[in-house]
Amino acid sequence: DGSGQTRLTNNPAADFEPAWSPDGTKIVFASFRDGNNEIYMMNADGSSQTRLTNNTSGDGQPAWSPDGTKIAFISDRDGNYEIYVMNADGSGQTNLSNNAAHDEFPAWSPGGSKIAFNSNRDGDFEIYAMGAGGSNQTNLSNDSATEDRGPAWSPDGTKIAFERDDSFDIEIYVMNADGSNQTNLTNYPQSSDHRPAWSPDGTKVAFDSW
């Protein structure tokens, strides 16, 4: 209801991109407190803030696996932004997408077997999916006339909502998990619609709009 607003982090730098662990006990987030973006974790009350990544490049966009054992994130430590995964304690940091393009916005499927993301490896940003280990990277949205970003899985894993930019406006689309049946949900002329988020029962999609 908006009450009980509590500050969890308190330092001069920017802290952003918080994501709850599936069991609700921890929050992973990005911070600039060390002079570059790194991934941190803290308890849900803000205690025990711990740095998970430690390198001179930028790390961000952390996303928990559904079972809470792994965290996907982006990093440009290899010269361009890629999708990485690590164990929840920060160990085992591994490049999953591993190509020369710009990959970002990792999103786990509800069952944890796949990660959706967007990439410009085909010349424009498209929605891709891959196995949780980086296998079978597949272009799902596959529309060379638009820029597609920000995938969000439906709770049952059958659909993916995303943003589509056709140079005139940005609108929220939804498609089946295999990329078929791409449908414009917002369809408002000269608008800018972003960040689709599914309701837990999968019947609604929240978004922000300009």
Side-chain angles (χ1 to χ4, degrees):
D1 61 2
S3 63
Q5 297 182 23
T6 305
R7 182 171 178 171
L8 297 181
T9 64
N10 189 353
N11 68 84
D15 302 320
F16 49 100
E17 298 174 341
W20 288 95
S21 63
D23 65 4
T25 64
K26 297 184 182 295
I27 299 172
V28 69
F29 63 100
S31 177
F32 201 73
R33 64 186 67 180
D34 296 302
N36 62 292
N37 289 347
E38 299 283 3
I39 307 296
Y40 279 74
M41 184 188 296
M42 62 183 169
N43 293 329
D45 62 1
S47 63
S48 299
Q49 295 181 28
T50 305
R51 182 172 174 171
L52 298 183
T53 62
N54 189 352
N55 64 83
T56 57
S57 61
D59 303 319
Q61 298 177 2
W64 289 89
S65 64
D67 65 3
T69 64
K70 295 185 180 296
I71 298 168
F73 63 101
I74 65 169
S75 178
D76 65 351
R77 64 188 66 180
D78 292 320
N80 59 290
Y81 277 106
E82 302 270 16
I83 308 297
Y84 281 73
V85 70
M86 61 182 165
N87 296 324
D89 63 2
S91 64
Q93 297 180 27
T94 305
N95 186 341
L96 295 182
S97 54
N98 199 23
N99 71 88
H102 187 109
D103 303 321
E104 60 184 6
F105 292 111
W108 294 86
S109 64
S113 63
K114 294 184 178 182
I115 298 174
F117 62 101
N118 52 249
S119 176
N120 65 354
R121 63 187 66 181
D122 290 321
D124 64 312
F125 278 104
E126 303 279 4
I127 307 300
Y128 282 73
M130 61 181 169
S135 62
N136 298 321
Q137 298 181 30
T138 305
N139 186 339
L140 298 181
S141 56
N142 201 22
D143 186 338
S144 60
T146 64
E147 301 281 340
D148 300 328
R149 292 184 173 91
W153 292 87
S154 64
D156 64 3
T158 64
K159 297 182 182 298
I160 298 173
F162 61 97
E163 306 170 11
R164 171 161 286 174
D165 183 351
D166 65 1
S167 299
F168 296 99
D169 47 37
I170 303 172
E171 297 177 318
I172 305 300
Y173 274 70
V174 68
M175 62 182 169
N176 294 332
D178 64 0
S180 63
N181 197 28
Q182 297 178 27
T183 305
N184 188 338
L185 297 184
T186 51
N187 199 25
Y188 193 86
Q190 296 182 334
S191 66
S192 185
D193 304 328
H194 299 276
R195 299 177 184 87
W198 292 85
S199 63
D201 65 1
T203 63
K204 296 182 182 294
V205 177
F207 63 101
D208 64 51
S209 181
W210 175 83

PDB file of all heavy atoms in Angstrom, residues 104-137:
ATOM      1  N   GLU A 104      22.390  -8.556 -23.808  1.00  0.00           N
ATOM      2  CA  GLU A 104      21.951  -7.924 -22.562  1.00  0.00           C
ATOM      3  C   GLU A 104      20.572  -8.436 -22.139  1.00  0.00           C
ATOM      4  O   GLU A 104      19.935  -9.217 -22.836  1.00  0.00           O
ATOM      5  CB  GLU A 104      21.902  -6.403 -22.728  1.00  0.00           C
ATOM      6  CG  GLU A 104      20.946  -5.954 -23.815  1.00  0.00           C
ATOM      7  CD  GLU A 104      20.955  -4.460 -24.076  1.00  0.00           C
ATOM      8  OE1 GLU A 104      21.803  -3.747 -23.491  1.00  0.00           O
ATOM      9  OE2 GLU A 104      20.109  -4.005 -24.868  1.00  0.00           O
ATOM     10  N   PHE A 105      20.132  -8.000 -20.963  1.00  0.00           N
ATOM     11  CA  PHE A 105      18.813  -8.291 -20.386  1.00  0.00           C
ATOM     12  C   PHE A 105      18.509  -9.788 -20.281  1.00  0.00           C
ATOM     13  O   PHE A 105      17.543 -10.280 -20.844  1.00  0.00           O
ATOM     14  CB  PHE A 105      17.710  -7.583 -21.177  1.00  0.00           C
ATOM     15  CG  PHE A 105      17.739  -6.087 -21.045  1.00  0.00           C
ATOM     16  CD1 PHE A 105      18.091  -5.286 -22.129  1.00  0.00           C
ATOM     17  CD2 PHE A 105      17.424  -5.470 -19.847  1.00  0.00           C
ATOM     18  CE1 PHE A 105      18.141  -3.906 -22.019  1.00  0.00           C
ATOM     19  CE2 PHE A 105      17.471  -4.083 -19.724  1.00  0.00           C
ATOM     20  CZ  PHE A 105      17.823  -3.303 -20.801  1.00  0.00           C
ATOM     21  N   PRO A 106      19.322 -10.534 -19.522  1.00  0.00           N
ATOM     22  CA  PRO A 106      19.025 -11.959 -19.342  1.00  0.00           C
ATOM     23  C   PRO A 106      17.755 -12.168 -18.529  1.00  0.00           C
ATOM     24  O   PRO A 106      17.496 -11.444 -17.561  1.00  0.00           O
ATOM     25  CB  PRO A 106      20.251 -12.476 -18.588  1.00  0.00           C
ATOM     26  CG  PRO A 106      20.765 -11.279 -17.844  1.00  0.00           C
ATOM     27  CD  PRO A 106      20.512 -10.116 -18.751  1.00  0.00           C
ATOM     28  N   ALA A 107      16.955 -13.158 -18.916  1.00  0.00           N
ATOM     29  CA  ALA A 107      15.710 -13.483 -18.217  1.00  0.00           C
ATOM     30  C   ALA A 107      15.546 -14.993 -18.204  1.00  0.00           C
ATOM     31  O   ALA A 107      15.475 -15.623 -19.262  1.00  0.00           O
ATOM     32  CB  ALA A 107      14.518 -12.825 -18.899  1.00  0.00           C
ATOM     33  N   TRP A 108      15.485 -15.586 -17.011  1.00  0.00           N
ATOM     34  CA  TRP A 108      15.342 -17.036 -16.880  1.00  0.00           C
ATOM     35  C   TRP A 108      13.923 -17.469 -17.201  1.00  0.00           C
ATOM     36  O   TRP A 108      12.954 -16.817 -16.802  1.00  0.00           O
ATOM     37  CB  TRP A 108      15.667 -17.477 -15.458  1.00  0.00           C
ATOM     38  CG  TRP A 108      17.084 -17.294 -15.040  1.00  0.00           C
ATOM     39  CD1 TRP A 108      17.657 -16.168 -14.523  1.00  0.00           C
ATOM     40  CD2 TRP A 108      18.127 -18.274 -15.081  1.00  0.00           C
ATOM     41  NE1 TRP A 108      18.981 -16.382 -14.249  1.00  0.00           N
ATOM     42  CE2 TRP A 108      19.302 -17.663 -14.564  1.00  0.00           C
ATOM     43  CE3 TRP A 108      18.180 -19.603 -15.486  1.00  0.00           C
ATOM     44  CZ2 TRP A 108      20.505 -18.345 -14.459  1.00  0.00           C
ATOM     45  CZ3 TRP A 108      19.383 -20.293 -15.376  1.00  0.00           C
ATOM     46  CH2 TRP A 108      20.543 -19.670 -14.871  1.00  0.00           C
ATOM     47  N   SER A 109      13.792 -18.597 -17.873  1.00  0.00           N
ATOM     48  CA  SER A 109      12.478 -19.204 -18.028  1.00  0.00           C
ATOM     49  C   SER A 109      12.018 -19.719 -16.666  1.00  0.00           C
ATOM     50  O   SER A 109      12.843 -20.003 -15.790  1.00  0.00           O
ATOM     51  CB  SER A 109      12.528 -20.353 -19.034  1.00  0.00           C
ATOM     52  OG  SER A 109      13.348 -21.401 -18.566  1.00  0.00           O
ATOM     53  N   PRO A 110      10.709 -19.842 -16.439  1.00  0.00           N
ATOM     54  CA  PRO A 110      10.216 -20.266 -15.119  1.00  0.00           C
ATOM     55  C   PRO A 110      10.785 -21.597 -14.642  1.00  0.00           C
ATOM     56  O   PRO A 110      11.005 -21.787 -13.446  1.00  0.00           O
ATOM     57  CB  PRO A 110       8.698 -20.341 -15.321  1.00  0.00           C
ATOM     58  CG  PRO A 110       8.423 -19.353 -16.402  1.00  0.00           C
ATOM     59  CD  PRO A 110       9.595 -19.446 -17.330  1.00  0.00           C
ATOM     60  N   GLY A 111      11.044 -22.503 -15.552  1.00  0.00           N
ATOM     61  CA  GLY A 111      11.613 -23.786 -15.165  1.00  0.00           C
ATOM     62  C   GLY A 111      13.117 -23.776 -15.014  1.00  0.00           C
ATOM     63  O   GLY A 111      13.714 -24.753 -14.548  1.00  0.00           O
ATOM     64  N   GLY A 112      13.772 -22.676 -15.438  1.00  0.00           N
ATOM     65  CA  GLY A 112      15.217 -22.544 -15.305  1.00  0.00           C
ATOM     66  C   GLY A 112      16.034 -23.215 -16.385  1.00  0.00           C
ATOM     67  O   GLY A 112      17.262 -23.217 -16.318  1.00  0.00           O
ATOM     68  N   SER A 113      15.382 -23.773 -17.397  1.00  0.00           N
ATOM     69  CA  SER A 113      16.129 -24.503 -18.426  1.00  0.00           C
ATOM     70  C   SER A 113      16.635 -23.582 -19.535  1.00  0.00           C
ATOM     71  O   SER A 113      17.529 -23.972 -20.293  1.00  0.00           O
ATOM     72  CB  SER A 113      15.254 -25.596 -19.036  1.00  0.00           C
ATOM     73  OG  SER A 113      14.131 -25.036 -19.695  1.00  0.00           O
ATOM     74  N   LYS A 114      16.078 -22.371 -19.641  1.00  0.00           N
ATOM     75  CA  LYS A 114      16.464 -21.444 -20.704  1.00  0.00           C
ATOM     76  C   LYS A 114      16.678 -20.036 -20.151  1.00  0.00           C
ATOM     77  O   LYS A 114      16.171 -19.687 -19.088  1.00  0.00           O
ATOM     78  CB  LYS A 114      15.387 -21.402 -21.799  1.00  0.00           C
ATOM     79  CG  LYS A 114      15.228 -22.710 -22.555  1.00  0.00           C
ATOM     80  CD  LYS A 114      14.218 -22.557 -23.675  1.00  0.00           C
ATOM     81  CE  LYS A 114      14.080 -23.853 -24.463  1.00  0.00           C
ATOM     82  NZ  LYS A 114      13.136 -23.712 -25.584  1.00  0.00           N
ATOM     83  N   ILE A 115      17.435 -19.252 -20.913  1.00  0.00           N
ATOM     84  CA  ILE A 115      17.619 -17.840 -20.625  1.00  0.00           C
ATOM     85  C   ILE A 115      17.299 -17.066 -21.897  1.00  0.00           C
ATOM     86  O   ILE A 115      17.896 -17.318 -22.947  1.00  0.00           O
ATOM     87  CB  ILE A 115      19.050 -17.522 -20.170  1.00  0.00           C
ATOM     88  CG1 ILE A 115      19.383 -18.264 -18.868  1.00  0.00           C
ATOM     89  CG2 ILE A 115      19.243 -16.017 -19.992  1.00  0.00           C
ATOM     90  CD1 ILE A 115      20.836 -18.117 -18.434  1.00  0.00           C
ATOM     91  N   ALA A 116      16.344 -16.156 -21.826  1.00  0.00           N
ATOM     92  CA  ALA A 116      16.070 -15.235 -22.928  1.00  0.00           C
ATOM     93  C   ALA A 116      16.937 -13.990 -22.745  1.00  0.00           C
ATOM     94  O   ALA A 116      17.306 -13.633 -21.623  1.00  0.00           O
ATOM     95  CB  ALA A 116      14.595 -14.861 -22.969  1.00  0.00           C
ATOM     96  N   PHE A 117      17.276 -13.343 -23.846  1.00  0.00           N
ATOM     97  CA  PHE A 117      18.089 -12.123 -23.808  1.00  0.00           C
ATOM     98  C   PHE A 117      17.932 -11.413 -25.132  1.00  0.00           C
ATOM     99  O   PHE A 117      17.303 -11.932 -26.055  1.00  0.00           O
ATOM    100  CB  PHE A 117      19.564 -12.453 -23.529  1.00  0.00           C
ATOM    101  CG  PHE A 117      20.229 -13.320 -24.565  1.00  0.00           C
ATOM    102  CD1 PHE A 117      21.062 -12.768 -25.531  1.00  0.00           C
ATOM    103  CD2 PHE A 117      20.039 -14.698 -24.585  1.00  0.00           C
ATOM    104  CE1 PHE A 117      21.686 -13.565 -26.487  1.00  0.00           C
ATOM    105  CE2 PHE A 117      20.658 -15.508 -25.530  1.00  0.00           C
ATOM    106  CZ  PHE A 117      21.479 -14.940 -26.477  1.00  0.00           C
ATOM    107  N   ASN A 118      18.464 -10.196 -25.233  1.00  0.00           N
ATOM    108  CA  ASN A 118      18.480  -9.577 -26.560  1.00  0.00           C
ATOM    109  C   ASN A 118      19.913  -9.364 -27.020  1.00  0.00           C
ATOM    110  O   ASN A 118      20.841  -9.227 -26.228  1.00  0.00           O
ATOM    111  CB  ASN A 118      17.662  -8.302 -26.639  1.00  0.00           C
ATOM    112  CG  ASN A 118      17.953  -7.248 -25.612  1.00  0.00           C
ATOM    113  OD1 ASN A 118      17.138  -6.984 -24.744  1.00  0.00           O
ATOM    114  ND2 ASN A 118      19.110  -6.619 -25.709  1.00  0.00           N
ATOM    115  N   SER A 119      20.081  -9.408 -28.350  1.00  0.00           N
ATOM    116  CA  SER A 119      21.406  -9.332 -28.960  1.00  0.00           C
ATOM    117  C   SER A 119      21.304  -8.634 -30.310  1.00  0.00           C
ATOM    118  O   SER A 119      20.291  -8.750 -30.998  1.00  0.00           O
ATOM    119  CB  SER A 119      21.973 -10.743 -29.157  1.00  0.00           C
ATOM    120  OG  SER A 119      23.223 -10.702 -29.837  1.00  0.00           O
ATOM    121  N   ASN A 120      22.376  -7.910 -30.679  1.00  0.00           N
ATOM    122  CA  ASN A 120      22.419  -7.278 -32.004  1.00  0.00           C
ATOM    123  C   ASN A 120      23.374  -8.002 -32.944  1.00  0.00           C
ATOM    124  O   ASN A 120      23.902  -7.424 -33.886  1.00  0.00           O
ATOM    125  CB  ASN A 120      22.782  -5.794 -31.897  1.00  0.00           C
ATOM    126  CG  ASN A 120      24.186  -5.556 -31.374  1.00  0.00           C
ATOM    127  OD1 ASN A 120      24.891  -6.483 -30.964  1.00  0.00           O
ATOM    128  ND2 ASN A 120      24.615  -4.302 -31.360  1.00  0.00           N
ATOM    129  N   ARG A 121      23.578  -9.289 -32.713  1.00  0.00           N
ATOM    130  CA  ARG A 121      24.536 -10.056 -33.521  1.00  0.00           C
ATOM    131  C   ARG A 121      24.108 -10.192 -34.973  1.00  0.00           C
ATOM    132  O   ARG A 121      24.928 -10.509 -35.830  1.00  0.00           O
ATOM    133  CB  ARG A 121      24.756 -11.439 -32.912  1.00  0.00           C
ATOM    134  CG  ARG A 121      23.512 -12.302 -32.893  1.00  0.00           C
ATOM    135  CD  ARG A 121      23.722 -13.605 -32.135  1.00  0.00           C
ATOM    136  NE  ARG A 121      23.951 -13.370 -30.716  1.00  0.00           N
ATOM    137  CZ  ARG A 121      24.184 -14.347 -29.842  1.00  0.00           C
ATOM    138  NH1 ARG A 121      24.215 -15.617 -30.245  1.00  0.00           N
ATOM    139  NH2 ARG A 121      24.368 -14.069 -28.568  1.00  0.00           N
ATOM    140  N   ASP A 122      22.827  -9.986 -35.262  1.00  0.00           N
ATOM    141  CA  ASP A 122      22.346 -10.068 -36.644  1.00  0.00           C
ATOM    142  C   ASP A 122      22.141  -8.690 -37.261  1.00  0.00           C
ATOM    143  O   ASP A 122      21.450  -8.557 -38.268  1.00  0.00           O
ATOM    144  CB  ASP A 122      21.044 -10.861 -36.706  1.00  0.00           C
ATOM    145  CG  ASP A 122      21.270 -12.334 -36.430  1.00  0.00           C
ATOM    146  OD1 ASP A 122      22.279 -12.867 -36.903  1.00  0.00           O
ATOM    147  OD2 ASP A 122      20.442 -12.950 -35.733  1.00  0.00           O
ATOM    148  N   GLY A 123      22.722  -7.655 -36.638  1.00  0.00           N
ATOM    149  CA  GLY A 123      22.665  -6.310 -37.198  1.00  0.00           C
ATOM    150  C   GLY A 123      21.681  -5.395 -36.510  1.00  0.00           C
ATOM    151  O   GLY A 123      21.799  -4.169 -36.599  1.00  0.00           O
ATOM    152  N   ASP A 124      20.685  -5.959 -35.851  1.00  0.00           N
ATOM    153  CA  ASP A 124      19.756  -5.179 -35.044  1.00  0.00           C
ATOM    154  C   ASP A 124      19.414  -6.017 -33.817  1.00  0.00           C
ATOM    155  O   ASP A 124      19.675  -7.205 -33.767  1.00  0.00           O
ATOM    156  CB  ASP A 124      18.489  -4.830 -35.832  1.00  0.00           C
ATOM    157  CG  ASP A 124      17.689  -6.068 -36.204  1.00  0.00           C
ATOM    158  OD1 ASP A 124      18.303  -7.031 -36.713  1.00  0.00           O
ATOM    159  OD2 ASP A 124      16.466  -6.080 -36.000  1.00  0.00           O
ATOM    160  N   PHE A 125      18.848  -5.382 -32.792  1.00  0.00           N
ATOM    161  CA  PHE A 125      18.536  -6.123 -31.579  1.00  0.00           C
ATOM    162  C   PHE A 125      17.339  -7.035 -31.793  1.00  0.00           C
ATOM    163  O   PHE A 125      16.302  -6.613 -32.294  1.00  0.00           O
ATOM    164  CB  PHE A 125      18.270  -5.169 -30.409  1.00  0.00           C
ATOM    165  CG  PHE A 125      19.524  -4.678 -29.753  1.00  0.00           C
ATOM    166  CD1 PHE A 125      19.983  -3.393 -29.997  1.00  0.00           C
ATOM    167  CD2 PHE A 125      20.250  -5.511 -28.913  1.00  0.00           C
ATOM    168  CE1 PHE A 125      21.151  -2.939 -29.395  1.00  0.00           C
ATOM    169  CE2 PHE A 125      21.419  -5.069 -28.319  1.00  0.00           C
ATOM    170  CZ  PHE A 125      21.872  -3.782 -28.561  1.00  0.00           C
ATOM    171  N   GLU A 126      17.513  -8.288 -31.419  1.00  0.00           N
ATOM    172  CA  GLU A 126      16.467  -9.303 -31.502  1.00  0.00           C
ATOM    173  C   GLU A 126      16.389 -10.037 -30.164  1.00  0.00           C
ATOM    174  O   GLU A 126      17.352 -10.037 -29.383  1.00  0.00           O
ATOM    175  CB  GLU A 126      16.774 -10.317 -32.618  1.00  0.00           C
ATOM    176  CG  GLU A 126      16.964  -9.726 -34.000  1.00  0.00           C
ATOM    177  CD  GLU A 126      15.664  -9.438 -34.721  1.00  0.00           C
ATOM    178  OE1 GLU A 126      14.584  -9.630 -34.115  1.00  0.00           O
ATOM    179  OE2 GLU A 126      15.719  -9.026 -35.892  1.00  0.00           O
ATOM    180  N   ILE A 127      15.255 -10.687 -29.912  1.00  0.00           N
ATOM    181  CA  ILE A 127      15.110 -11.528 -28.731  1.00  0.00           C
ATOM    182  C   ILE A 127      15.628 -12.926 -29.051  1.00  0.00           C
ATOM    183  O   ILE A 127      15.205 -13.542 -30.030  1.00  0.00           O
ATOM    184  CB  ILE A 127      13.642 -11.603 -28.268  1.00  0.00           C
ATOM    185  CG1 ILE A 127      13.055 -10.204 -28.077  1.00  0.00           C
ATOM    186  CG2 ILE A 127      13.542 -12.426 -26.977  1.00  0.00           C
ATOM    187  CD1 ILE A 127      13.754  -9.351 -27.050  1.00  0.00           C
ATOM    188  N   TYR A 128      16.533 -13.407 -28.229  1.00  0.00           N
ATOM    189  CA  TYR A 128      17.109 -14.739 -28.354  1.00  0.00           C
ATOM    190  C   TYR A 128      16.766 -15.573 -27.123  1.00  0.00           C
ATOM    191  O   TYR A 128      16.412 -15.039 -26.075  1.00  0.00           O
ATOM    192  CB  TYR A 128      18.640 -14.663 -28.463  1.00  0.00           C
ATOM    193  CG  TYR A 128      19.146 -14.262 -29.826  1.00  0.00           C
ATOM    194  CD1 TYR A 128      19.018 -12.948 -30.274  1.00  0.00           C
ATOM    195  CD2 TYR A 128      19.748 -15.182 -30.666  1.00  0.00           C
ATOM    196  CE1 TYR A 128      19.477 -12.578 -31.525  1.00  0.00           C
ATOM    197  CE2 TYR A 128      20.219 -14.821 -31.925  1.00  0.00           C
ATOM    198  CZ  TYR A 128      20.070 -13.517 -32.342  1.00  0.00           C
ATOM    199  OH  TYR A 128      20.528 -13.145 -33.594  1.00  0.00           O
ATOM    200  N   ALA A 129      16.894 -16.874 -27.278  1.00  0.00           N
ATOM    201  CA  ALA A 129      16.841 -17.780 -26.134  1.00  0.00           C
ATOM    202  C   ALA A 129      17.958 -18.792 -26.283  1.00  0.00           C
ATOM    203  O   ALA A 129      18.379 -19.122 -27.397  1.00  0.00           O
ATOM    204  CB  ALA A 129      15.499 -18.486 -26.042  1.00  0.00           C
ATOM    205  N   MET A 130      18.457 -19.262 -25.149  1.00  0.00           N
ATOM    206  CA  MET A 130      19.495 -20.294 -25.152  1.00  0.00           C
ATOM    207  C   MET A 130      19.272 -21.203 -23.959  1.00  0.00           C
ATOM    208  O   MET A 130      18.551 -20.863 -23.011  1.00  0.00           O
ATOM    209  CB  MET A 130      20.888 -19.666 -25.083  1.00  0.00           C
ATOM    210  CG  MET A 130      21.162 -18.849 -23.837  1.00  0.00           C
ATOM    211  SD  MET A 130      22.831 -18.113 -23.881  1.00  0.00           S
ATOM    212  CE  MET A 130      22.735 -16.962 -22.501  1.00  0.00           C
ATOM    213  N   GLY A 131      19.889 -22.373 -23.999  1.00  0.00           N
ATOM    214  CA  GLY A 131      19.879 -23.232 -22.842  1.00  0.00           C
ATOM    215  C   GLY A 131      20.594 -22.579 -21.682  1.00  0.00           C
ATOM    216  O   GLY A 131      21.413 -21.672 -21.867  1.00  0.00           O
ATOM    217  N   ALA A 132      20.316 -23.012 -20.463  1.00  0.00           N
ATOM    218  CA  ALA A 132      20.897 -22.395 -19.273  1.00  0.00           C
ATOM    219  C   ALA A 132      22.419 -22.498 -19.255  1.00  0.00           C
ATOM    220  O   ALA A 132      23.079 -21.750 -18.535  1.00  0.00           O
ATOM    221  CB  ALA A 132      20.317 -23.033 -18.023  1.00  0.00           C
ATOM    222  N   GLY A 133      22.982 -23.393 -20.069  1.00  0.00           N
ATOM    223  CA  GLY A 133      24.428 -23.513 -20.182  1.00  0.00           C
ATOM    224  C   GLY A 133      25.012 -22.808 -21.387  1.00  0.00           C
ATOM    225  O   GLY A 133      26.214 -22.901 -21.652  1.00  0.00           O
ATOM    226  N   GLY A 134      24.171 -22.103 -22.152  1.00  0.00           N
ATOM    227  CA  GLY A 134      24.633 -21.350 -23.317  1.00  0.00           C
ATOM    228  C   GLY A 134      24.419 -22.030 -24.647  1.00  0.00           C
ATOM    229  O   GLY A 134      24.763 -21.471 -25.697  1.00  0.00           O
ATOM    230  N   SER A 135      23.812 -23.219 -24.658  1.00  0.00           N
ATOM    231  CA  SER A 135      23.630 -23.970 -25.898  1.00  0.00           C
ATOM    232  C   SER A 135      22.438 -23.468 -26.701  1.00  0.00           C
ATOM    233  O   SER A 135      21.543 -22.806 -26.174  1.00  0.00           O
ATOM    234  CB  SER A 135      23.422 -25.452 -25.581  1.00  0.00           C
ATOM    235  OG  SER A 135      22.242 -25.640 -24.811  1.00  0.00           O
ATOM    236  N   ASN A 136      22.426 -23.793 -27.985  1.00  0.00           N
ATOM    237  CA  ASN A 136      21.268 -23.570 -28.872  1.00  0.00           C
ATOM    238  C   ASN A 136      20.757 -22.123 -28.828  1.00  0.00           C
ATOM    239  O   ASN A 136      19.569 -21.876 -28.613  1.00  0.00           O
ATOM    240  CB  ASN A 136      20.124 -24.526 -28.512  1.00  0.00           C
ATOM    241  CG  ASN A 136      20.506 -25.971 -28.680  1.00  0.00           C
ATOM    242  OD1 ASN A 136      21.203 -26.338 -29.624  1.00  0.00           O
ATOM    243  ND2 ASN A 136      20.067 -26.805 -27.749  1.00  0.00           N
ATOM    244  N   GLN A 137      21.653 -21.179 -29.074  1.00  0.00           N
ATOM    245  CA  GLN A 137      21.256 -19.771 -29.103  1.00  0.00           C
ATOM    246  C   GLN A 137      20.433 -19.511 -30.358  1.00  0.00           C
ATOM    247  O   GLN A 137      20.914 -19.673 -31.477  1.00  0.00           O
ATOM    248  CB  GLN A 137      22.488 -18.874 -29.024  1.00  0.00           C
ATOM    249  CG  GLN A 137      23.258 -19.079 -27.723  1.00  0.00           C
ATOM    250  CD  GLN A 137      24.475 -18.205 -27.580  1.00  0.00           C
ATOM    251  OE1 GLN A 137      24.523 -17.090 -28.105  1.00  0.00           O
ATOM    252  NE2 GLN A 137      25.473 -18.685 -26.852  1.00  0.00           N
TER     253      GLN A 137
END
